[in-house]
Amino acid sequence: MPKIRMTIAYDGTDFHGFARQRGLRTVQGTLEDALARALGHPVEVEGSGRTDAGVHARAQVVHWEQDHGPAPERYPYVLGRMLPGDLIPIHAELAPDDFHARFSAKRKTYRYTIQRARVPDVFTHRYAWHEPSALDLARMRDAAQQLVGEHDFTSFCAAATPVEDKRRVIYDLRLEERGTYLDIYCTGNGFLQYMVRIIVGTLVDIGLGRLNRPVTEILAARDRRCAGRTAPAKGLTLWDVAYETSP
Amino acid sequence: MPKIRMTIAYDGTDFHGFARQRGLRTVQGTLEDALARALGHPVEVEGSGRTDAGVHARAQVVHWEQDHGPAPERYPYVLGRMLPGDLIPIHAELAPDDFHARFSAKRKTYRYTIQRARVPDVFTHRYAWHEPSALDLARMRDAAQQLVGEHDFTSFCAAATPVEDKRRVIYDLRLEERGTYLDIYCTGNGFLQYMVRIIVGTLVDIGLGRLNRPVTEILAARDRRCAGRTAPAKGLTLWDVAYETSP
C-alpha cells in the first residue's frame, strides 16, 4: 500500500505527549482521529518517536499507509482545516515502500530554549525555561563538548529506563545565544527517556556553579543521581529528524 | 493612601478578557485574587483599559491603593510566585497621589501581528493572525495614512458601541515587516470597541483587493458595514500605555 510521509509541528503544552492514550488529548490520537474522519476508516500513524507531555515539535515526522485518499501533497490543506491550531501539518509526500518514520530515522536534533532575562517573557512562557540567574556559558560549553561522542548515557536518563543498551552517540551539542535566549541544540542517533532534559539540567547546574563534578566522572558513574536536574519539558522542541533520503 | 502602579504582561488566550466577571478567569480577577492573598484583604485594581477576550498585553498598566504591604518594587517578585505563567508582573513603583491608570493615560499603542507564510507557525498561533494570501502592502500603507489624525471612527467600531462621541485621534499607524510577519502598530488617544481589529481587518481586506472603497469614504459613511472585517482577537497586543509622567 502507498505510504504517506508527513511533517507536523505542535505546541506540546496542551497535549499529554505524542503517544495515543485512551481518554487523553495526545498528538497521535488527535492526528489519527482527523485522518479517520478524512478517509472514512481508522488509520494508524507511526511517529519518528514519542515526545513527552509538554514537549513541542518544529518538525516531527510521521507515516501511515493508505489504499485511497487525497493526493499526498494535499494533506496539509485537508488536515489543516480539521486539526486544532496547536497541531499543524506542514508537508506531506509519497514515501518509498521501505520508509518507516521511526526505523529509517538516522539522526534527531532537539532544541532546548532557556530565557535568561530577569522577568519571564509571557509570549514564550510555554516554550522556554526561565532562568534569571547568571550562567557561566564557558563552563557549560566545556561540559557540553565532553558529552559529544559515543557514551553510555545511564547517568543521563530516567533511572527506570527499561532499555538494556544505553550507549548512544551525540554528534553535536552546542549553545547559541539569541538575544536574552540561550538555545541548546543536541543532535544524536537516538535519545533515552528524559536524556536531553537531563543533559540540559546538568549543563545549567554546572553553569550556575551548583554542580562541579566533571562530566567524564558523571558518565563513568552510570548513576542518574550523579547528574543534574531534569530541565522542564516546556523548553524542549523536537527540531529535526534526518533520514538517509533527506536532502 | 499610597498608590501602587504596576506594569503587567499577559497571554490573553486563556482569559475571558481583562475585566472581572463572576465565575470566569479574567486578568483583573486573577490579579485581584493574588493581591488579596498577598495583603490579607480585598483589593480593587484599575487598569488603563479593558482588553477583550483573547487580546494580549505586553505592557498593561494597573494601579491600586494600599495602606500597608510590600515595598512597591517587591511586587513583581511577591506576585510572580503567586500568579500563573500567562500573567506576569513586570515592574511596580509608588505612584503620585493623582495618578490613575485609566484617566492619566495619554496615548496607547497596540500592535497587531499577521503571519504571512504559507503554513501557520505553531509557536505563534496564539499571537498572530495567519493570512497566507498576498497582501498589497503599498495599498495598505496608503489606506493607513488616511486614518491618521482626528476622525469620527463610527465606521471602525462595533455597531453597538454605546459611547456618544466617537471622535478619536490616531497619532501613528504603521506597518512593519519582520521576517514572514507583518506588525501593524497603532497609537492613539483612545480606542473604541474593536476599533484596532476593525482597522486591521479593513487594511487586510484592502491589501487582498477585496475592499476598494477609499478610506475617506468609509470614514464619512459613519456606518460599520462600510468597513472591512473584524480581525481576530489573537493577533492583538496592548503594546504600550504612555502617561504624562512617562519618561
Side-chain angles (χ1 to χ4, degrees), chain A residues 126-178:
Chain A
R126 294 160 74 92
Y127 315 118
W129 182 20
H130 178 244
E131 177 49 73
S133 302
L135 294 171
D136 184 334
L137 295 191
R139 292 198 63 197
M140 291 171 73
R141 288 197 165 105
D142 187 54
Q145 213 42 51
Q146 297 172 52
L147 286 165
V148 174
E150 185 172 350
H151 302 286
D152 181 317
F153 283 98
T154 303
S155 296
F156 289 91
C157 66
T161 304
V163 186
E164 192 67 32
D165 181 9
K166 300 200 175 71
R167 293 191 75 80
R168 295 290 183 276
V169 180
I170 292 185
Y171 300 112
D172 191 31
L173 179 58
R174 64 180 196 282
L175 284 63
E176 289 188 7
E177 290 181 85
R178 172 170 56 91

Side-chain angles (χ1 to χ4, degrees), chain B residues 143-156 166-168 170 195 199 202 213-224 226-227:
Chain B
Q145 213 40 54
Q146 296 172 54
L147 285 165
V148 173
E150 184 171 353
H151 302 286
D152 181 318
F153 283 98
T154 303
S155 296
F156 290 90
K166 300 202 174 69
R167 294 191 74 81
R168 295 289 182 278
I170 291 185
M195 181 168 150
I199 287 175
T202 302
R213 195 178 288 123
V215 165
T216 46
E217 271 184 33
I218 301 174
L219 282 167
R222 297 186 193 181
D223 180 346
R224 168 69 188 90
C226 292

Side-chain angles (χ1 to χ4, degrees), chain A residues 9 11 21-22 46 51 59 64 89 100 110 137 162 167 190 195 201 224 233 235:
Chain A
D11 172 344
Q21 296 177 70
R22 187 181 293 277
E46 281 273 358
T51 51
W64 66 90
H100 191 288
Y110 281 91
L137 295 191
R167 293 191 75 80
M195 183 169 148
R224 168 69 188 90

Side-chain angles (χ1 to χ4, degrees), chain A residues 14-30 33:
Chain A
D14 299 327
F15 288 104
H16 292 265
F18 180 85
R20 180 184 271 279
Q21 296 177 70
R22 187 181 293 277
L24 293 177
R25 184 177 191 263
T26 66
V27 174
Q28 185 183 20
T30 304
D33 288 350

Side-chain angles (χ1 to χ4, degrees), chain A residues 9-11 14 56-58 76 85-91 118-127 237 239, chain B residues 9-11 14 56-58 76 85-91 118-127 237 239:
Chain A
Y10 46 87
D11 172 344
D14 299 327
H56 319 289
R58 183 192 76 133
D86 55 354
L87 173 49
I88 295 180
I90 293 177
H91 176 82
R118 184 180 58 82
V119 174
D121 182 340
V122 80
F123 300 114
T124 58
H125 84 280
R126 294 160 74 92
Y127 315 118
T237 301
W239 196 252
Chain B
Y10 46 88
D11 172 343
D14 299 327
H56 319 288
R58 184 192 74 133
D86 55 353
L87 172 49
I88 295 180
I90 293 177
H91 175 83
R118 183 180 60 82
V119 174
D121 182 339
V122 79
F123 301 113
T124 57
H125 83 281
R126 295 161 74 91
Y127 315 119
T237 301
W239 197 250

Side-chain angles (χ1 to χ4, degrees), chain B residues 116 134-146 175 177 182 203 206-208:
Chain B
R116 302 176 65 200
L135 294 172
D136 184 334
L137 295 191
R139 291 197 63 197
M140 290 171 73
R141 287 198 165 104
D142 187 54
Q145 213 40 54
Q146 296 172 54
L175 284 63
E177 290 181 86
L182 175 67
L203 293 178
I206 289 171
L208 291 169

Side-chain angles (χ1 to χ4, degrees), chain B residues 2-46:
Chain B
K3 241 176 207 175
I4 309 294
R5 165 186 169 166
M6 188 165 77
T7 303
I8 59 173
Y10 46 88
D11 172 343
T13 313
D14 299 327
F15 289 104
H16 293 263
F18 181 86
R20 181 184 270 279
Q21 297 178 68
R22 187 180 294 274
L24 294 178
R25 185 176 190 262
T26 66
V27 174
Q28 186 183 19
T30 303
L31 189 56
E32 287 180 350
D33 289 350
L35 272 169
R37 269 181 291 145
L39 299 177
H41 59 78
V43 179
E44 211 167 301
V45 160
E46 282 273 358

